[in-house]
Amino acid sequence: LEAHERYIDSLKIVMADMPMSDTIAMYALYDELINAYAHFNLDSLVAYADLASGFATGTGNLVLAEHYRINKIHAIPLLGHTYEAIAIIDTTDVNDIYPENRAEFLKEAWAASLSIFSMYSLKGVNSDYLVRFVAVSRHLSDILPATDPFYPVVKSVLQYGDGNFTQAVATATAATENMSMSDECYNELVRVLSLYEYSRNNFDQWRYMLALSSILEIRSLLLDGESL
């Protein structure tokens, strides 16, 4: 943790000395800071995403400005602003988003929807939030190529949403067997597998998946992870 904090401090020092006119370097520094704060300090992630979006708007780069606004969506429900996240997802027409940002928006909306579904299913599956989660997954599956590492995740969720529990588990499990545990999609697969088991009252397997997800989150410094 201390090494990560020192890295963040070093980025801020470089940014403070960087001429604002060097837009390429400024964008790179904002990217590094946002990535460094992701899952580490969500308040700072949101703050720097807003700063980066404002900077990009000021330099006339509206595609990047939108990209930075999208960067923070997954963090909003984790900060306790569930209905703000829902409003963003529900009122955003994907066709109005710049084409290069559409997959990113849907992945952020997917992550936010999974968090909301998880948080509101503590006493049993919340069918309303499940429907929302599956709908976002369907939108994402429509634009992702089958070769995208994230595709098996959303395919599995769609199978689960259609009531095909066995197929959903098989798809997610097969995907984990073909990737490293350090892969960014691996923990997402474990998270959805844990939800499947919970929904079927398979609590021993659910606890195992939850423990595995916690280990992955600690290894990756995902301090906002819901499994922790």
Side-chain angles (χ1 to χ4, degrees):
L1 293 180
E2 290 181 3
H4 195 71
E5 288 172 348
R6 287 196 299 271
Y7 171 66
I8 289 173
D9 289 340
S10 70
L11 291 173
K12 291 179 180 178
I13 291 170
V14 173
M15 178 174 275
D17 293 333
M18 184 65 61
M20 299 285 280
S21 57
D22 192 343
T23 56
I24 301 299
M26 288 294 292
Y27 289 143
L29 286 166
Y30 274 124
D31 286 341
E32 288 292 325
L33 278 165
I34 290 169
N35 288 333
Y37 275 127
H39 308 294
F40 186 75
N41 184 321
L42 294 182
D43 288 313
S44 295
L45 163 67
V46 171
Y48 274 94
D50 288 338
L51 286 171
S53 181
F55 179 76
T57 300
T59 59
N61 195 327
L62 300 184
V63 174
L64 262 184
E66 182 182 69
H67 158 77
Y68 289 127
R69 288 196 300 274
I70 289 170
N71 268 181
K72 65 181 183 179
I73 293 173
H74 78 274
I76 294 174
L78 295 176
L79 289 170
H81 308 301
T82 300
Y83 296 111
E84 179 184 345
I86 291 172
I88 291 171
I89 295 168
D90 285 356
T91 61
T92 301
D93 185 339
V94 177
N95 293 321
D96 291 336
I97 296 174
Y98 288 106
E100 48 267 71
N101 291 333
R102 288 174 186 169
E104 180 185 19
F105 168 78
L106 287 170
K107 285 182 179 180
E108 287 279 322
W110 186 92
S113 298
L114 174 57
S115 295
I116 294 168
F117 174 47
S118 300
M119 288 187 289
Y120 285 88
S121 293
L122 296 178
K123 296 182 179 180
V125 172
N126 186 305
S127 57
D128 290 339
Y129 289 121
L130 172 61
V131 168
R132 288 175 174 275
F133 180 43
V134 172
V136 173
S137 299
R138 198 171 304 281
H139 282 305
L140 187 51
S141 72
D142 288 342
I143 68 170
L144 282 182
T147 54
D148 190 293
F150 207 79
Y151 187 82
V153 185
V154 293
K155 179 181 178 181
S156 175
V157 172
L158 292 179
Q159 291 168 335
Y160 174 70
D162 290 338
N164 298 320
F165 176 81
T166 302
Q167 286 185 344
V169 171
T171 296
T173 302
T176 63
E177 293 171 353
N178 294 318
M179 67 176 66
S180 166
M181 292 179 71
S182 61
D183 190 289
E184 63 179 325
C185 291
Y186 193 97
N187 191 43
E188 302 296 3
L189 287 161
V190 172
R191 287 177 68 198
V192 296
L193 280 167
S194 72
L195 283 171
Y196 302 160
E197 301 298 349
Y198 179 78
S199 71
R200 297 288 291 244
N201 297 324
N202 296 333
F203 295 122
D204 287 342
Q205 190 66 7
W206 167 67
R207 291 187 188 95
Y208 169 77
M209 290 295 176
L210 211 58
L212 177 56
S213 182
S214 297
I215 292 169
L216 294 171
E217 288 168 357
I218 291 169
R219 285 181 178 176
S220 303
L221 283 181
L222 305 181
L223 303 187
D224 62 344
E226 294 152 62
S227 300
L228 291 176

